[in-house]
Amino acid sequence: MTTPEPDKLPILLGGTGVVHWQQDRPIADLLAAVRRTGRRAYPLDLQGAADKAAFMARCAEALKLPEWFGANWDALYDCLTDADVLPAEGGRVLVVTGWQGYAAAAPGEWRTALDVLGDAADYWAKTDTPFLALLVEPEFTAPAHPTPGTSG
């Protein structure tokens, strides 16, 4: 897993794998940038998800997973590697936001989720339609500086 420099977005979107991205633009702009590359954007917001059940429910909803989705890691992999479930002629980009709370609350499950995403990326890397999981880091905000002549 890598963290690219902000000006590398066009190059990054042409790749495959699981990467961290420091948010440097609104998510809507990021999704539009993905679409301009000819890839299909799949936004996945994990804000508030604190366990595997919530993670799987968010995946099912965001990715419009089929009824047969079993809400387990093997079923998620099966869905992520099924072109009928995740169609995209030019490739797929899963834009994951709000994942930090889940990673902190369930680190073992989060590592498994990353493994599944990585395995899906490896699967699609052998095809003409790659898969990129973009783990969006919150936009950096510099700490406020006190106004001169005030305390704190």
Side-chain angles (χ1 to χ4, degrees):
M1 195 170 347
T2 60
T3 304
E5 297 173 26
D7 62 341
K8 305 293 184 195
L9 183 61
I11 296 167
L12 171 69
L13 293 177
T16 190
V18 179
V19 297
H20 286 270
W21 178 257
Q22 184 70 45
Q23 184 176 348
D24 65 345
R25 63 195 74 200
I27 294 301
D29 292 352
L30 178 60
L31 296 173
V34 169
R35 292 181 190 109
R36 283 193 300 274
T37 68
R39 289 187 174 200
R40 184 159 179 184
Y42 292 93
L44 174 61
D45 183 4
L46 296 177
Q47 186 69 40
D51 60 21
K52 180 181 173 185
F55 174 85
M56 293 293 175
R58 297 287 178 88
C59 288
E61 181 181 333
L63 303 175
K64 297 175 179 41
L65 299 181
E67 289 183 23
W68 57 260
F69 173 60
N72 61 60
W73 300 117
D74 289 337
L76 181 60
Y77 174 82
D78 291 344
C79 288
L80 292 175
T81 58
D82 186 329
D84 292 330
V85 174
L86 249 106
E89 291 180 15
R92 306 147 186 83
V93 178
L94 182 63
V95 179
V96 186
T97 58
W99 57 269
Q100 295 84 355
Y102 178 57
E109 291 175 7
W110 178 241
R111 282 190 296 277
T112 301
L114 293 177
D115 288 344
V116 170
L117 294 173
D119 290 347
D122 290 345
Y123 172 87
W124 287 114
K126 300 171 190 156
T127 73
D128 293 338
T129 58
F131 175 91
L132 174 67
L134 199 58
L135 306 178
V136 179
E137 299 282 350
E139 187 172 11
F140 176 76
T141 304
H145 296 289
T147 304
T150 64
S151 61

